[in-house]
Amino acid sequence: MRIIRVAEFGGPEVLVPQEARAPIAGPGEAVVDVAVAPVLFLDAQMRSGTGAEYFPLRPPYIPGVGVAGRVASVGDGVDQAWVGRRVVADVAGGYVEQALVGVDGLVEVPDGLGLEEAAALLHDGRTAMGLVDDAAIRPGDRVLVTAAAGGLGSLLVQLARAAGAHVVGAARGRRKLDAVRALGADAVVDYTEPGWADDLVADVVFDGVGGQIGLAAFSTTAPGGRFSAHGTPGGGFAPVDAADAQRRGVRLSGIERVQFTPEQAKRLVERALAEAAAGRIRPVVGQMFPLEEAADAHAVIEARDVVGKVLLLT
Ligand SMILES: NC(=O)c1ccc[n+]([C@@H]2O[C@H](COP(=O)([O-])OP(=O)(O)OC[C@H]3O[C@@H](n4cnc5c(N)ncnc54)[C@H](OP(=O)(O)O)[C@@H]3O)[C@@H](O)[C@H]2O)c1
């Protein structure tokens, strides 16, 4: 089968297609014929070697952390009824044609939901659900979402809106801002404009960018508000002064709120898929690439060219 391997840390060109032996399901396992592999911002970050001190992964490795497809075969002790079912699953190495998954890790994709949408929701959906649950949004709350046109941000905009919030989506450039508006944001703002945050006040901030943009987003948080720093594309988590937050009565949270146990993650993924199947949220699929072109997929993410999610198709 074809796989993508990272032979060394570096630019997108280190994502090289290779052949590997197809997996065989052992006891308690299933082999999934992968149709779609989601590409995360984190995949590109890890491939570049940025933050290697935080991640245990070292080249050579197969990138990607999730798959969507059909169960091709199962091992001993696994119900044969799984064979042929459409599933999503977390994996260590998702840029592959076939993936080996413990049966407990399989989540069935509901009828009426495409594998592409399901793949787009596998991580962004659970994270968005977890962040919105944690923020306990009340109707009428003012919510600011940065990186609002990204995979995660586009879901946060929709979920905050559904919770009755007044949502401001912040992103870069007209094309992305138009997309954020189309998702239901009440207002949009371009954070490349100087002073973009000056007139904003938010009860809840979901910051998916970090760096100076994240810091400006923090400055909009109202006394008693909640600020979530879960994103780093801007050069690291928003460098918020915890003492300042405490003085203003702002509750700080972040990435630790979305470190789920496998059971919690599974329940959140099921919820996200069900919400999408019912038409209450819509994952935005921005660009799709054949598996062999994984390097191009990483390049568009790094160029900030994409609205929504990037997927690889086998
Ligand atoms: N997806 C998850 O499940 C999850 C879980 C935990 C944490 N996170 C973190 O949340 C952040 C957003 O994740 P995501 O999956 O939504 O990623 P994404 O879809 O790729 O969005 C990242 C966004 O960041 C913005 N950005 C700002 N500065 C950037 C830069 N220098 N380079 C590239 N993009 C830049 C881009 O929008 P503009 O061009 O509009 O600025 C882009 O849309 C990431 O840091 C990710 O690691 C994600």
Side-chain angles (χ1 to χ4, degrees):
M1 67 166 179
R2 287 166 305 149
I3 63 163
I4 299 294
R5 199 181 293 280
V6 170
E8 57 183 333
F9 289 136
E13 70 284 353
V14 302
L15 294 162
V16 179
Q18 288 186 358
E19 285 294 320
R21 196 171 300 166
I24 296 168
E29 293 176 333
V31 170
V32 176
D33 273 340
V34 178
V36 192
V39 182
L40 273 66
F41 184 84
L42 191 64
D43 296 348
Q45 220 173 15
M46 282 162 62
R47 184 223 68 230
S48 72
T50 311
E53 62 274 30
Y54 304 114
F55 308 120
L57 215 51
R58 293 286 174 273
Y61 70 89
I62 301 174
V65 287
V67 294
R70 274 185 196 276
V71 176
S73 59
V74 295
D76 285 349
V78 179
D79 188 348
Q80 281 290 330
W82 274 109
V83 176
R85 287 198 198 162
R86 300 182 323 133
V87 296
V88 288
D90 290 346
V91 293
Y95 297 8
V96 294
E97 280 186 306
Q98 289 200 310
L100 196 59
V101 182
V103 68
D104 291 344
L106 297 174
V107 177
E108 188 158 14
V109 176
D111 290 343
L113 189 68
L115 284 175
E116 288 153 9
E117 286 73 23
L121 286 166
L122 177 58
H123 301 97
D124 297 0
R126 92 183 61 162
T127 304
M129 293 267 172
L131 289 172
V132 167
D133 285 354
D134 184 61
I137 296 170
R138 292 176 291 258
D141 273 353
R142 298 155 294 182
V143 173
L144 172 64
V145 180
T146 65
L152 180 57
S154 56
L155 294 173
L156 288 170
V157 167
Q158 296 175 66
L159 289 170
R161 216 34 197 91
H166 178 277
V167 180
V168 177
R172 182 187 69 136
R174 181 49 46 200
R175 188 171 65 101
K176 290 187 177 182
L177 295 177
D178 287 347
V180 174
R181 247 198 205 289
L183 292 170
D186 298 282
V188 292
V189 57
D190 189 330
Y191 45 48
T192 61
E193 304 280 347
W196 67 274
D198 290 353
D199 299 327
L200 293 175
V201 181
D203 301 296
V204 176
V205 177
F206 294 115
D207 176 37
V209 175
Q212 289 308 303
I213 290 174
L215 199 54
F218 171 69
S219 75
T220 73
T221 320
R226 288 87 85 199
F227 180 83
S228 165
H230 54 265
T232 59
F237 291 113
V240 170
D241 178 354
D244 183 24
Q246 197 175 17
R247 262 193 310 277
R248 290 164 48 196
V250 172
R251 193 198 78 170
L252 297 179
S253 64
I255 199 81
E256 76 286 350
R257 303 279 172 167
V258 287
Q259 306 298 314
F260 307 114
T261 66
E263 293 72 26
Q264 289 169 331
K266 196 171 175 178
R267 276 198 298 279
L268 287 167
V269 172
E270 285 167 349
R271 250 175 77 196
L273 297 185
E275 287 296 292
R280 287 190 288 270
I281 53 171
R282 181 169 67 84
V284 179
V285 176
Q287 259 181 282
M288 296 188 273
F289 295 85
L291 181 65
E292 294 81 351
E293 295 174 18
D296 294 338
H298 278 212
V300 296
I301 287 178
E302 290 176 347
R304 299 166 72 172
D305 265 352
V306 190
V307 176
K309 194 77 193 160
V310 175
L311 302 175
L312 296 176
L313 305 182
T314 62

